[in-house]
Amino acid sequence: MGRSGDLPRGLVERYKAGPDGWPDDAGCPVLHVDMDAFYASVEIRERPELVDRPVVVGGVGPRGVVSSANYLARGFGVRSAMPTSHARRLCPQAVYLPPTFALYQEVSAAVQALFREITPLVEPLSLDEAFLDVSGALRRLRSTPAGIGAEIRRRVRAEQGLVCSVGVGPTKFVAKLASGLAKPDGMLVVPRGEITAFLHPLPVSALWGVGKRTAERLADVGLERVADVAAAPLPRLRRLLGTAMAEHLHALALGHDNRAVVPDTAEKSIGAEETFEVDHFDRDLLRRELLRLAERTAATLRDRGLRGRTVSIKVRFADFTTISRSKTLPVATDVTQEIYRTAAQLLTEQTPPGAVRLIGVRVEQLGTGGAEQLLIDAPAQGWREADQAADKARTRFGAAAIRPAALLGERPGRVGRTEPRPER
DNA sequence: TCTGGGGTCCTTATTCGT
DNA sequence: TCTGACGAATAAGGACCC
């Protein structure tokens, strides 16, 4: 979705609290809570000496990109997804930090636990944002959606020392847009009766699913605002964008969005990928990297009690063209060796030669492993037991304790390597 | 400016069985 | 026996989101 920076700020005032309190939130059961500059804010919380400095979190290598920047850094034009090299030119005085995901996961879990004290209907979208359906909590808490939103903001600040913004609306889509426009450190309430008045002046990039390409296509035929998409005949949109996209965007533009807030959605794929600091031709090196990535992917699968049937690899060449190759196995697996063997075969037999900048492994068609598979799958059982023993050792002695012999040599340089955190 | 890593969803083409 | 229609599964690529 388009960044909130390009949305008309003047529209925002009427959805903020005025002298008479918040706008009418009677038909607004959905809250979208979004942490402000989450990774950067967590890092600053850990190191108070950074409070008055521009802080940028992201890949610190030559090919890294920005994941998060605090508002001081944004003042210099630094934005997320921007190459770190570009950010360094815009703001050389900023502190540049590699991400520490384990820490963000911890903080995220604490914030989500706070949400669940309010309602069990919490749908996390990522580490730093979530939808809440508070319709069932209003009576118990003797409050209103806006009241709950304000209370969440107060508690997140008091208990976690972090700032978040909240959107309150009749649908998920409206609530999400509202939180984006409320930033930083704000809250917006969009009444049910004002959905289209709120949506229609916005640029098409505000629609969920419209990125750079789709915005260009729409602009080519003169559709620039949400109102234009709402007014466009559906058959015309279908020809332009395909059936699913057209119907989805048209519905959103008209304010129709009946998607429920759904906690606990199952994962569909798990994978790992890495961009090298320099491009590599050497197939042996690429295979060793595949083994490392297969190891990580399989460990995640086992950690979550999942197995998958389809193994795919992704290869990005120096010119940024990206291919994927996949193979579906007869039986779902969580075994490192099986995933690696399949991935290596796809690389060897189906990938053209060339300079490679990124390689990745992913496992799809996930399910929880059933008992019947153990019978068909006896040879894999030995490998699985070896994996489980290695998982245990890693849990006790750290990730470096156990690794396949093939990985004991030099590691190729990679982007965004996480350095050890200094002792506190 | 030169493009990360984790994912989701959609479209199109091909293959296979009935 | 040959042919075609059709649906499901598989495979590849692309856009998008945070």
Side-chain angles (χ1 to χ4, degrees), chain A residues 30-357:
Chain A
V30 183
L31 270 59
H32 181 258
V33 185
D34 201 334
M35 306 297 294
D36 292 356
F38 183 56
Y39 298 174
S41 301
V42 171
E43 296 292 346
I44 293 166
R45 189 187 78 172
E46 299 297 296
R47 311 184 207 189
E49 71 273 16
L50 298 181
V51 163
D52 293 316
R53 304 197 50 189
V55 173
V56 178
V57 177
V60 295
R63 287 173 168 176
V65 301
V66 173
S67 293
S68 172
N70 70 350
Y71 282 85
L72 277 172
R74 292 185 203 190
F76 292 88
V78 177
R79 296 286 181 273
S80 65
M82 171 185 280
T84 306
S85 57
H86 186 190
R88 283 188 200 276
R89 251 168 277 138
L90 292 172
C91 190
Q93 67 273 43
V95 179
Y96 290 85
L97 302 170
T100 42
F101 286 105
L103 176 62
Y104 312 148
Q105 268 157 8
E106 241 174 73
V107 178
S108 178
V111 172
Q112 283 172 29
L114 190 162
F115 295 163
R116 286 194 193 92
E117 290 178 28
I118 295 178
T119 170
L121 294 180
V122 177
E123 179 181 336
L125 281 185
S126 64
L127 287 180
D128 73 329
E129 55 180 299
F131 286 113
L132 282 72
D133 180 337
V134 299
S135 52
L138 298 176
R139 270 217 282 180
R140 177 169 47 84
L141 299 173
R142 291 206 196 86
S143 186
T144 63
I148 292 174
E151 175 67 4
I152 286 174
R153 283 177 21 83
R154 188 192 65 75
R155 283 190 61 187
V156 168
R157 188 188 298 261
E159 295 171 26
Q160 294 298 325
L162 294 168
V163 173
C164 64
S165 296
V166 173
V168 181
T171 66
K172 280 181 158 183
F173 175 53
V174 169
K176 174 144 171 65
L177 277 181
S179 73
L181 289 168
K183 280 178 177 296
D185 195 8
M187 183 166 102
L188 247 52
V189 176
V190 180
R192 182 167 284 277
E194 297 190 37
I195 295 179
T196 50
F198 171 72
L199 292 177
H200 282 191
L202 302 175
V204 291
S205 60
L207 294 167
W208 179 274
V210 176
K212 194 164 166 279
R213 306 290 164 142
T214 310
E216 277 169 13
R217 281 184 166 193
L218 291 168
D220 284 346
V221 297
L223 306 180
E224 298 196 327
R225 303 269 145 198
V226 172
D228 303 333
V229 175
L234 197 42
R236 179 158 177 246
L237 289 177
R238 285 202 192 98
R239 283 193 300 276
L240 189 68
L241 305 171
T243 317
M245 183 73 130
E247 281 164 19
H248 171 242
L249 295 186
H250 198 236
L252 286 184
L254 291 169
H256 302 162
D257 174 19
N258 54 12
R259 295 170 300 168
V261 173
V262 184
D264 311 319
T265 52
E267 290 156 297
K268 306 239 161 95
S269 72
I270 285 172
E273 63 189 55
E274 255 157 19
T275 297
F276 303 119
E277 286 186 1
V278 295
D279 301 337
H280 287 293
F281 289 90
D282 180 2
R283 289 295 168 115
D284 286 334
L285 183 149
L286 294 176
R287 269 187 289 272
R288 260 178 279 142
E289 196 58 21
L290 280 181
L291 175 54
R292 197 193 320 280
L293 295 167
E295 202 185 13
R296 258 163 59 187
T297 302
T300 306
L301 286 168
R302 293 192 295 270
D303 183 51
R304 310 210 182 147
L306 295 170
R307 294 178 194 179
R309 277 191 65 206
T310 303
V311 175
S312 72
I313 65 166
K314 170 163 137 184
V315 178
R316 174 121 77 211
F317 294 99
D319 67 356
F320 230 72
T321 59
T322 307
I323 64 164
S324 61
R325 295 291 181 264
S326 64
K327 183 171 185 200
T328 298
L329 306 171
V331 173
T333 185
D334 61 0
V335 175
T336 300
Q337 275 300 320
E338 276 189 301
I339 296 169
Y340 167 65
R341 233 190 296 125
T342 310
Q345 188 189 356
L346 289 168
L347 178 73
T348 305
E349 297 175 6
Q350 295 192 45
T351 306
V356 172
R357 67 177 286 144

Side-chain angles (χ1 to χ4, degrees), chain A residues 381-397:
Chain A
Q381 191 57 18
W383 284 114
R384 179 170 297 114
E385 280 160 12
D387 281 347
Q388 282 162 353
D391 289 345
K392 259 190 196 160
R394 271 189 286 264
T395 307
R396 280 190 65 186
F397 304 114

